[in-house]
């Protein structure tokens, strides 16, 4: 099968980009011909090394740019005899929809950020992939018929992005609590600060590490600096690979207010962390509804503090939840994601059109 992925760019530190790059590389491994069209970015070198041809399509939301994008996409579909176009963001879907209609090529869309109002436009796809059950339910409420909707839960284990990464744990001060994510309100980091301040009074040697960057970095640093526990909080900043921090951490915490299916939970579980996540959106599904990680209500620092204290007061509990993090871990592989996505492609193909099956 000849697949063309289209997304805004291929820059790091964007969950939808990581998911699309992982999927494209996994499809190549399964024997398919894969192309990726975007404005380019950090992952173009990796894509080329894996045999994925990168193509340019501008995504600037201005009429002349969009018209050029329509023309360019149409020429790519014709030149490479594309069987499936897979769009990963709203602008990509809007660009691809009329061209796919004209060329009679199925358009697959993946809803990565369901919390955005524009996610409704992902319903333009011939088939719509939701990255968790909660996202699928949300898209049904927005009017996407069940017949064109399919849930393919995110997973990262075995991805090409992880090849060659360091397996050496970072030497973190134990007991260590780790957050990895963007520094913006949706991730709920202020709740973690408040919970850690409470925990610090009973466990003054506990240390909190914040890995990531974002528009609220300075505000969050100032907030942390005003706490009694400030000396026990370290802002690591942005890093190309947070996995060594996960390997070195005792407890991984994701206190999100909204998170459709965060890839970071797959990575934290692969690293063997004891995981605490807020019971919102796709987080419970990624933690096997509490069997592979502990769940707390979102926006509830007191509940998060109690859960952290529950683990910190008995190190054997941390060890127990480290082991539990491996429950059904094989379900979070990128190969499973690729195979389920290919099944969606086949279901969208016109009847009578033969395509090679995955190897």
């Amino acid at each position: 099968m000849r697949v063309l992925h289209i997304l805004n760019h291929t820059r790091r530190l964007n969950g939808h980009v990581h998911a699309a790059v992982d999927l494209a590389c996994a499809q190549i491994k399964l024997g398919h011909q894969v192309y990726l069209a975007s404005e380019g970015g950090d992952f173009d070198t990796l894509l080329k090394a894996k045999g994925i041809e990168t193509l340019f399509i501008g995504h600037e939301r201005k009429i002349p740019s969009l018209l050029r994008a329509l023309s360019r996409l149409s020429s790519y579909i014709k030149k490479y005899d594309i069987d499936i176009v897979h769009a990963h963001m709203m602008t990509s879907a809007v660009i691809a929809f009329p061209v796919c209609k004209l060329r009679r090529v199925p358009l697959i869309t993946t809803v990565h950020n369901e919390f955005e109002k524009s996610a409704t436009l992902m319903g333009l796809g011939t088939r719509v992939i939701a990255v968790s059950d909660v996202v699928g339910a949300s898209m049904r409420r927005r009017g996407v018929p069940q017949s064109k909707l399919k849930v393919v839960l995110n997973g990262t284990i075995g991805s090409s992005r992880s090849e060659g990464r360091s397996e050496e744990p970072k030497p973190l001060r134990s007991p260590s609590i780790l957050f990895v994510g963007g520094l913006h309100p949706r991730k709920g980091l202020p709740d973690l600060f408040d919970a850690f301040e409470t925990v610090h009074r009973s466990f003054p040697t506990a240390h909190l590490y914040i890995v990531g960057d974002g528009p609220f970095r300075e505000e969050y640093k100032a907030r942390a600096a005003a706490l009694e526990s400030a000396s026990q909080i370290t802002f690591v900043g942005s890093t190309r690979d947070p996995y060594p921090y996960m390997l070195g951490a005792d407890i991984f915490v994701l206190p999100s207010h909204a998170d459709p299916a965060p890839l970071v939970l797959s990575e934290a579980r692969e690293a063997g962390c004891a995981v605490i996540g807020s019971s919102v959106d796709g987080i419970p599904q990624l933690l096997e509804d509490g069997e592979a990680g502990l769940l707390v209500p979102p926006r509830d620092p007191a509940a998060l503090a109690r859960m952290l204290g529950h683990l910190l007061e008995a190190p054997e509990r941390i060890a127990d939840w480290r082991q539990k993090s491996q429950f059904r871990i094989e379900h979070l592989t990128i190969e499973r994601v690729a195979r389920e996505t290919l099944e969606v492609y086949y279901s969208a193909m016109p009847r009578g059109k033969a395509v090679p099956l995955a190897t």
Side-chain angles (χ1 to χ4, degrees):
M1 183 181 294
R2 293 172 295 277
V3 181
L4 173 59
H5 293 275
I6 176 172
L7 60 160
N8 298 20
H9 57 80
T10 57
R11 295 191 291 272
R12 293 183 185 275
L13 307 180
N14 292 270
H16 74 279
V17 172
H18 293 184
V21 168
D22 289 350
L23 177 60
C25 292
Q27 289 171 340
I28 278 279
K29 287 183 179 178
L30 291 174
H32 299 277
Q33 184 64 49
V34 183
Y35 305 85
L36 193 148
S38 75
E39 291 185 342
D42 305 313
F43 287 115
D44 288 354
T45 300
L46 171 64
L47 293 165
K48 182 178 180 180
K50 295 300 176 182
I52 297 169
E53 187 168 350
T54 55
L55 311 170
F56 180 83
I57 287 184
H59 279 71
E60 187 179 7
R61 296 182 187 181
K62 294 182 178 179
I63 296 299
S65 176
L66 292 174
L67 290 175
R68 286 193 295 270
L70 290 168
S71 175
R72 190 160 287 180
L73 178 60
S74 181
S75 67
Y76 289 150
I77 291 174
K78 180 180 180 181
K79 178 179 179 179
Y80 298 107
D81 194 19
I82 297 298
D83 297 305
I84 289 284
V85 174
H86 191 157
H88 293 268
M89 291 300 287
M90 181 273 292
T91 305
S92 301
V94 171
I95 291 171
F97 176 70
V99 179
C100 288
K101 282 289 187 183
L102 179 65
R103 291 289 184 184
R104 298 183 180 180
V105 172
L107 170 64
I108 310 300
T109 59
T110 291
V111 185
H112 294 282
N113 294 333
E114 163 272 334
F115 53 84
E116 295 179 348
K117 291 182 179 180
S118 60
T120 301
L121 289 169
M122 303 306 277
L124 292 170
T126 311
R127 294 288 185 274
V128 179
I129 294 176
V131 294
S132 66
D133 288 339
V134 169
V135 173
S138 174
M139 296 307 292
R140 285 194 295 273
R141 290 193 297 272
R142 296 182 188 209
V144 177
Q146 180 64 46
S147 59
K148 68 189 300 186
L149 189 63
K150 173 68 176 180
V151 173
V152 178
L153 183 68
N154 274 344
T156 64
I157 296 174
S159 73
S160 293
R161 285 187 301 112
S162 68
E163 294 176 4
R165 71 185 177 193
S166 173
E167 297 291 336
E168 183 69 25
K170 287 287 184 181
L172 306 183
R173 293 162 59 185
S174 188
S176 54
I177 300 165
L178 175 67
F179 167 90
V180 177
L183 304 190
H184 48 73
R186 180 171 64 86
K187 293 295 184 177
L189 193 54
D191 297 340
L192 180 54
F193 289 148
D194 291 345
F196 185 72
E197 181 77 340
T198 300
V199 165
H200 174 71
R201 299 182 186 116
S202 299
F203 305 94
T205 61
H207 203 95
L208 174 61
Y209 292 87
I210 309 298
V211 175
D213 202 351
F216 285 76
R217 176 185 57 194
E218 296 308 316
E219 179 179 325
Y220 289 166
K221 280 187 172 183
R223 180 167 183 157
L227 301 174
E228 292 180 7
S229 57
S231 63
Q232 298 298 103
I233 301 175
T234 297
F235 282 80
V236 175
S238 178
T239 177
R240 288 175 65 88
D241 183 12
Y243 192 68
Y245 288 91
M246 297 177 182
L247 291 172
D250 296 310
I251 304 169
F252 181 89
V253 180
L254 188 64
S256 300
H257 297 169
D259 234 333
L263 299 178
V264 70
L265 286 182
S266 173
E267 294 164 351
R269 287 183 56 191
E270 183 183 7
C273 295
V275 179
I276 300 175
S278 53
S279 54
V280 68
D281 294 343
I283 291 177
Q285 190 174 2
L286 285 166
L287 294 180
E288 298 292 341
D289 294 315
E291 293 192 67
L294 294 155
L295 294 168
V296 296
R299 304 173 186 270
D300 193 339
L304 179 54
R306 287 192 296 271
M307 190 64 78
L308 285 168
H310 173 73
L311 292 180
L312 291 170
E313 70 183 6
E316 63 272 16
R317 290 175 185 159
I318 296 177
D320 183 44
W321 280 102
R322 280 181 176 275
Q323 184 175 0
K324 287 180 177 179
S325 72
Q326 302 306 293
F327 176 67
R328 276 181 27 102
I329 192 75
E330 68 281 355
H331 190 61
L332 297 181
T333 64
I334 188 60
E335 182 180 358
R336 188 269 306 165
V337 174
R339 290 188 182 278
E340 290 184 8
T341 301
L342 287 165
E343 290 176 6
V344 177
Y345 293 177
Y346 298 138
S347 74
M349 297 294 293
R351 290 185 179 182
K353 183 168 183 177
V355 293
L357 296 177
T359 58

